[in-house]
Amino acid sequence: MSEQGIIPIDQILPNKLYLVALMGRPIFPGIFTPIMIGNPADVKVVDEALAGDGLIGLVMLQNESENPTIDDLYKVGTVAKIVKKINIPDGGVNIFISTLKRFRIKKTLNASNPIVAAVEYLEDEEDDTSEVKALTRALISEMKQVSENNPLFSEEMRLNMINIDHPGKIADFIASILNIDKTEQQRILEILNVRKRMEQVLVFIKKEQELLKIQKKIQKEINEKIEKSQREYFLREELKAIKNELGMTTDAKSSEYQKFRDKLNEIHLDDEVREAVEQELEKFSLMDPNSSEFIVTRNYLDTIVNLPWNKESNTELDMDYARKVLEEDHYGLKDVKDRIMEFLAVRKLRNDTKGSILCLVGPPGVGKTSVGRSIARALGKQFFRFSVGGMRDEAEIKGHRRTYVGAMPGKIIQGLKLVKTKDPVFMIDEIDKMGSSYQGDPSSALLEVLDPEQNYAFRDHYLDLPFDVSHVFFIVTANTLDTIPGPLLDRMEVIQIPGYIDIEKLEIAKQYLIPKSLEKNGLQPNQVRYTRDALLFIANGYAREAGVRNFEKNLDKIHRKLAKHILETLPEYAERLAQHYGAQKREEVMNYIKKAAQIIDESNLSEGPGEIFDKIGAAMKNPPAEPPKKKRPIIKLQENEKFVIDKAAVEKYLGKPIFAEEEVKRADRPGMAVGLAWTSMGGDTLIIEAVATPGKEGLTLTGKMGDVMKESATIAYTYTRKLVAEKYGIGQEWFEKNHIHLHIPEGATPKDGPSAGITMATALISLVTNRTIVDRIVMTGELSLTGQVLPIGGLKEKTIAAQRNKAKHIIIPKKNLRDLDEIPDHVKKGIEFHPVERYEEVLALVLPDK
């Protein structure tokens, strides 16, 4: 005992301590605090300490571990006196400690369970008193500011800080309550020099102050936004109340909500649809107009309320009117028109508004799309067309899900929204040219759309509600059926539209193409007259394809040149006009002419003459008024000018013919035969050439043939060797000494199909016998290995191609006789058909015995 009866602390502190590992932060000397002990090993340490002097060492873990050893601990810790121990039901203890002094581990006495070490106690290193005093005041002053701005600092903490009498303890206390990293706190614990310790703590206080400033700034900005938002909300509510009092419309959102609500009440919807739409509408009413979801929901509701859920066209089908429309819009196509009229008659008798699916198949330019428009006009229904050629994304048909940015419904729903009736005519063009990719297969997506058994509840991905599209009359177009998937083709009724012969093109030009082209190019009706020979010359020399698209382009080209001619010869017309008015008006007329010529020089000749004359008329301030009393005397004078287009004029305007007369495909030497082929562009003539060269026996095939055609060539070669040996006595020696080359021009065009067998055999036999086949005879038919002639398809298109090639005789398989009934008489006119069953009959026709 000392004189005062108190034992100094360094005399009662033991050199050996039980150590407790701290998982969290280090604990500084001079602190009274509770600690929760849960680890059984640490509980045992507490019990051992309480059994002795009640002192334990508290050291922070460097590496967290469930069973730490002394190597996992820092070397500097704090000795503490256990004041009270409270047992916890889970087996742990809660102890209240009073920390006394720093210590450093000198030696390990027991590395684990329990950790015991020999320690040395560390004293604070005192520095210059004046500096330490200044630092003490600075610490207290700065911490006062921090505590004022931080609600976590209690009044008790402030009092404790002020009442601490030792500078080192003040630094320790502040370090223990600052929100800094635990490794930084451990570093402060290990600093023995009081001045350095205080300086380090002061640095951390400054950092805390900076953080508090930033936090305060952020909090202020948030509060200002909240206050502004609240203020705007109250103002909007007041404005809404004022508008309600005045009977005015409220905000845009409420207005749109009411619009959607009114439209929804007018529509009769199924329970499932109405429930889903009501939910969306309710969600819409609660949304913030500035949110992105608001726009998405508004567009969705707009789509729903503008769809024709119940609206039908309610037009009565008039068969006479329908026939009249079809006849007005298209020349010929009797079979097509009859099929359409039969189809419409069934609809009328059944009084069935359910839609159907027609597939119009034919070469380009034959009027498939215009037939669809005519059907819509005949039915008195709205028409909507879209093309699926090259489409690779099924979302184009069934729409995008609303989870995607910029989502929109597919073409079906878009079309229905546009036409505003649930029973329109939909035309889907180029269905044979759809593709597939990683984005899906649009042809598979069309299966549901074009199936009457499914499309009464069609679900677009965007809409995600069942919509009845079974009332839509679907018309699809294609150039060929080969690339249309079988399941899709099975859902459609196919109508073949064949190509046109030159006589048909002539009538189409007279009735439709010439008036349309004259109007398009600014010429007056009846201002241009074509001779019959000129139109036939265009059809055969410049537009020999199956359709009439190129025919129309050539007419446009002629009319553009005529328009240019009219404008270039305007001065001549003007001179005649001046003579007409007489000498008194001559000066006025000549001024008129000069202005007109200037306008013509500045005009773009792609404009129609009518448009340019309108400009001339508008530019004239004082045009001659009399006589004649016409608004545009120059136009009147030109109306009397007639342009007669004959063969010579056609060649003048269009240049030399693309297809010259001598380009008609003819077999004019041995080894040649003319066959008939069917392509997606319509019927075509196919010339086959064969030559023999001395050399090794064999057969070479060129002309980009497909596998089927190559097999046909092999069969024809084998059959030829057998037939010429039997009929002409040409033995195998000839074939052994000659190599045969069979070619089908043009070499870059792919060719395939089972209809060229007899043509190939004819070319080979003509070569071997060195005889030229009968002129103007063409053929089609597949050949079997035993000499049978097998049936083919596309006879109508092939006959049209034969007409264009000036053929007089066509050899066809006998089994195709029934197809002749489907070919119009004017197409068959001038052609003799020869049905055959065996190749011997073909040979008798093409190479008759001398």
Side-chain angles (χ1 to χ4, degrees):
M1 297 284 289
S2 63
E3 293 177 2
Q4 289 83 8
I6 299 174
I7 301 173
I9 191 168
D10 55 354
Q11 292 181 16
I12 63 171
L13 294 177
N15 295 325
K16 181 183 79 170
L17 283 176
Y18 288 96
L19 303 183
V20 173
L22 298 176
M23 300 284 286
R25 299 170 177 273
I27 298 177
F28 288 85
I31 305 294
F32 184 79
T33 183
I35 298 179
M36 185 77 70
I37 305 292
N39 192 326
D42 291 338
V43 172
K44 188 176 178 183
V45 167
V46 170
D47 292 338
E48 293 284 349
L50 284 173
D53 52 14
L55 294 172
I56 57 172
L58 304 176
V59 189
M60 193 174 75
L61 275 168
Q62 292 188 68
N63 306 306
E64 292 188 6
S65 171
E66 291 185 4
N67 297 305
T69 65
I70 197 165
D71 294 330
D72 297 320
L73 304 177
Y74 282 97
K75 297 302 178 187
V76 176
T78 306
V79 64
K81 175 75 174 176
I82 300 173
V83 178
K84 189 175 182 181
K85 169 192 166 188
I86 300 173
N87 293 321
I88 300 173
D90 63 359
V93 295
N94 195 0
I95 59 173
F96 289 87
I97 59 167
S98 174
T99 54
L100 305 174
K101 199 169 187 177
R102 290 172 172 79
F103 68 82
R104 181 183 287 113
I105 298 172
K106 286 176 62 179
K107 184 179 179 182
T108 303
L109 300 179
N110 191 26
S112 62
N113 295 332
I115 302 172
V116 184
V119 300
E120 62 174 338
Y121 295 98
L122 306 175
E123 300 292 340
D124 287 346
E125 297 174 2
E126 303 289 345
D127 264 349
D128 180 53
T129 312
S130 59
E131 281 192 20
V132 171
K133 283 182 180 179
L135 282 169
T136 304
R137 289 182 181 180
L139 283 175
I140 293 172
S141 172
E142 296 294 338
M143 275 304 293
K144 186 177 179 183
Q145 291 182 21
V146 171
S147 63
E148 286 174 355
N149 295 320
N150 193 335
L152 296 176
F153 288 94
S154 63
E155 188 64 31
E156 185 181 353
M157 286 183 181
R158 296 189 188 100
L159 290 173
N160 286 340
M161 183 173 59
I162 295 168
N163 292 329
I164 296 172
D165 56 355
H166 192 276
K169 289 183 180 179
I170 290 176
D172 288 342
F173 179 76
I174 293 173
S176 68
I177 62 175
L178 280 177
N179 185 22
I180 57 178
D181 189 73
K182 62 182 182 179
T183 54
E184 298 290 349
Q185 286 185 327
Q186 177 67 29
R187 192 153 65 87
I188 293 171
L189 182 67
E190 293 175 1
I191 298 174
L192 300 181
N193 187 288
V194 173
R195 183 176 61 79
K196 289 182 179 178
R197 190 191 308 163
M198 296 177 81
E199 287 174 351
Q200 187 63 48
V201 172
L202 191 60
V203 169
F204 287 123
I205 292 174
K206 289 293 183 183
K207 287 182 180 179
E208 183 72 16
Q209 286 178 341
E210 289 299 320
L211 285 173
L212 285 171
K213 284 181 183 177
I214 295 170
Q215 182 181 347
K216 195 172 182 181
K217 180 185 175 185
I218 293 170
Q219 191 66 39
K220 182 181 177 185
E221 289 175 355
I222 292 172
N223 289 337
E224 285 177 355
K225 285 181 181 178
I226 292 172
E227 288 171 5
K228 182 183 177 184
S229 164
Q230 288 177 336
R231 183 169 175 272
E232 287 177 354
Y233 172 76
F234 285 123
L235 287 173
R236 278 196 296 268
E237 290 299 315
E238 287 179 10
L239 183 62
K240 197 185 293 184
I242 292 168
K243 285 185 175 181
N244 283 334
E245 287 293 326
L246 296 173
M248 297 167 63
T249 359
T250 54
D251 61 307
K253 175 184 166 183
S254 302
S255 174
E256 288 192 5
Y257 174 83
Q258 194 57 45
K259 180 184 74 175
F260 291 147
R261 171 59 66 190
D262 293 342
K263 285 188 175 181
L264 197 59
N265 291 336
E266 297 172 4
I267 304 172
H268 174 70
L269 299 174
D270 295 337
D271 293 341
E272 178 192 351
V273 178
R274 180 164 289 279
E275 183 180 351
V277 178
E278 288 285 356
Q279 288 177 359
E280 287 292 329
L281 194 59
E282 193 62 32
K283 187 168 71 173
F284 176 77
S285 67
L286 301 173
M287 283 181 178
D288 179 6
N290 297 317
S291 69
S292 58
E293 188 72 16
F294 177 83
I295 305 297
V296 173
T297 306
R298 185 186 67 184
N299 292 341
Y300 177 71
L301 289 170
D302 184 67
T303 301
I304 287 177
V305 298
N306 285 296
L307 281 175
W309 296 90
N310 317 116
K311 187 178 178 183
E312 296 186 18
S313 54
N314 295 324
T315 53
E316 187 67 27
L317 179 57
D318 186 337
M319 296 296 291
D320 293 334
Y321 175 73
R323 170 68 76 175
K324 180 183 175 185
V325 168
L326 292 174
E327 293 295 343
E328 280 179 1
D329 291 352
H330 297 88
Y331 173 81
L333 302 179
K334 182 177 182 303
D335 291 347
V336 177
K337 291 173 182 175
D338 287 343
R339 290 283 296 277
I340 292 170
M341 291 305 297
E342 291 167 7
F343 183 80
L344 298 180
V346 171
R347 286 172 61 96
K348 185 173 177 68
L349 285 176
R350 290 185 59 190
N351 195 23
D352 185 7
T353 58
K354 290 286 184 182
S356 302
I357 299 97
L358 289 183
C359 180
L360 306 178
V361 182
V366 295
K368 299 184 294 296
T369 304
S370 58
V371 165
R373 291 184 186 278
S374 296
I375 292 173
R377 194 156 75 90
L379 292 170
K381 295 185 182 295
Q382 294 291 326
F383 180 79
F384 180 76
R385 173 196 166 274
F386 66 94
S387 175
V388 293
M391 186 180 288
R392 291 177 173 271
D393 187 357
E394 67 167 282
E396 294 285 338
I397 304 295
K398 298 197 72 174
H400 305 82
R401 300 197 181 278
R402 280 190 291 154
T403 51
Y404 296 105
V405 175
M408 59 188 342
K411 292 290 185 187
I412 306 299
I413 296 299
Q414 286 182 40
L416 288 166
K417 182 181 175 183
L418 192 68
V419 298
K420 295 180 170 44
T421 172
K422 69 183 294 185
D423 57 347
V425 175
F426 267 29
M427 171 157 278
I428 306 176
D429 260 339
E430 314 294 350
I431 199 170
D432 57 325
K433 297 178 182 63
M434 282 191 295
S436 60
S437 68
Y438 67 92
Q439 293 170 310
D441 182 3
S443 62
S444 299
L446 276 175
L447 289 175
E448 180 186 359
V449 178
L450 300 181
D451 190 347
E453 301 300 321
Q454 299 180 44
N455 61 10
Y456 66 89
F458 170 67
R459 280 185 183 266
D460 182 272
H461 287 153
Y462 178 82
L463 209 62
D464 201 24
L465 295 170
F467 191 93
D468 185 1
V469 296
S470 63
H471 297 272
V472 178
F473 188 168
F474 287 102
I475 302 173
V476 302
T477 70
N479 296 132
T480 176
L481 298 176
D482 298 343
T483 54
I484 302 177
L488 190 58
L489 188 62
D490 185 56
R491 286 160 166 77
M492 302 182 289
E493 183 177 350
V494 177
I495 296 180
Q496 296 278 355
I497 300 183
Y500 301 110
I501 60 173
D502 51 4
I503 301 299
E504 290 177 315
K505 288 182 180 179
L506 184 145
E507 294 300 326
I508 292 170
K510 284 181 181 178
Q511 297 181 31
Y512 305 99
L513 301 183
I514 293 174
K516 177 183 173 184
S517 181
L518 287 172
E519 183 181 356
K520 184 166 67 174
N521 289 285
L523 298 173
Q524 302 297 324
N526 303 320
Q527 194 170 357
V528 181
R529 184 173 67 82
Y530 286 84
T531 65
R532 178 185 175 86
D533 288 344
L535 293 175
L536 289 174
F537 185 43
I538 294 173
N540 290 318
Y542 301 88
R544 204 178 278 179
E545 81 286 354
V548 292
R549 198 165 283 153
N550 278 336
F551 200 111
E552 185 176 3
K553 287 179 183 177
N554 282 291
L555 290 175
D556 286 342
K557 189 174 181 181
I558 292 172
H559 295 155
R560 284 196 300 271
K561 290 183 181 296
L562 291 178
K564 181 172 177 285
H565 170 74
I566 290 171
L567 295 178
E568 287 175 344
T569 55
L570 181 65
E572 178 188 342
Y573 288 116
E575 181 62 32
R576 290 163 59 189
L577 183 66
Q579 292 174 6
H580 180 79
Y581 275 107
Q584 294 179 350
K585 291 279 186 178
R586 186 172 187 84
E587 185 177 352
E588 186 178 352
V589 169
M590 292 314 293
N591 288 332
Y592 187 100
I593 292 165
K594 287 177 184 176
K595 291 181 180 178
Q598 181 183 353
I599 290 171
I600 290 167
D601 288 340
E602 295 171 353
S603 295
N604 182 356
L605 289 180
S606 64
E607 296 179 311
E611 295 174 351
I612 295 176
F613 287 134
D614 285 340
K615 290 183 180 179
I616 294 171
M620 300 299 106
K621 293 183 178 178
N622 299 303
E626 54 182 62
K629 293 183 178 179
K630 297 291 182 182
K631 186 176 182 181
R632 295 187 295 183
I634 292 180
I635 295 290
K636 179 62 182 175
L637 193 64
Q638 287 178 0
E639 285 177 356
N640 297 328
E641 290 296 321
K642 301 291 184 183
F643 293 94
V644 178
I645 306 297
D646 54 13
K647 283 182 67 173
V650 169
E651 193 163 339
K652 173 187 173 185
Y653 291 125
L654 298 182
K656 293 292 182 184
I658 299 171
F659 308 101
E661 183 66 27
E662 57 269 19
E663 287 186 25
V664 170
K665 294 173 183 174
R666 303 173 71 177
D668 53 5
R669 62 189 64 192
M672 296 179 69
V674 183
L676 296 173
W678 184 91
T679 70
S680 62
M681 304 293 285
D684 196 9
T685 48
L686 205 66
I687 194 157
I688 294 179
E689 304 170 338
V691 295
T693 54
K696 186 179 178 181
E697 176 186 357
L699 177 67
T700 298
L701 303 174
T702 57
K704 211 163 185 182
M705 301 183 196
D707 292 338
V708 176
M709 192 169 274
K710 286 178 181 177
E711 289 180 0
S712 297
T714 306
I715 292 169
Y717 178 69
T718 303
Y719 183 75
T720 298
R721 295 182 63 160
K722 174 178 177 292
L723 185 64
V724 295
E726 295 174 353
K727 186 172 179 63
Y728 300 105
I730 300 173
Q732 300 305 313
E733 298 82 11
W734 188 93
F735 290 96
E736 290 171 359
K737 294 177 182 178
N738 290 279
H739 186 91
I740 297 176
H741 186 161
L742 188 73
H743 177 66
I744 308 177
E746 295 79 13
T749 307
K751 310 166 191 74
D752 201 7
S755 65
I758 65 172
T759 315
M760 291 177 177
T762 300
L764 291 171
I765 293 171
S766 169
L767 172 70
V768 175
T769 60
N770 198 30
R771 293 175 61 189
T772 304
I773 69 170
V774 173
D775 191 25
R776 302 288 185 178
I777 191 165
V778 295
M779 61 200 76
T780 179
E782 184 59 5
L783 180 66
S784 77
L785 204 53
T786 57
Q788 287 185 320
V789 180
L790 307 176
I792 46 85
L795 184 59
K796 187 175 183 180
E797 288 78 8
K798 291 177 179 179
T799 303
I800 292 171
Q803 274 273 20
R804 288 199 295 268
N805 203 56
K806 310 297 183 186
K808 300 298 182 185
H809 303 271
I810 301 179
I811 299 173
I812 64 170
K814 196 168 186 178
K815 291 181 179 177
N816 285 106
L817 266 176
R818 60 186 181 89
D819 296 332
L820 288 177
D821 297 335
E822 298 180 6
I823 303 175
D825 292 337
H826 68 273
V827 175
K828 295 184 287 187
K829 186 178 179 182
I831 295 179
E832 185 178 354
F833 291 87
H834 302 275
V836 295
E837 283 186 292
R838 294 194 55 78
Y839 186 76
E840 290 84 349
E841 300 173 57
V842 177
L843 197 59
L845 291 166
V846 296
L847 291 171
D849 293 334
K850 294 181 181 179

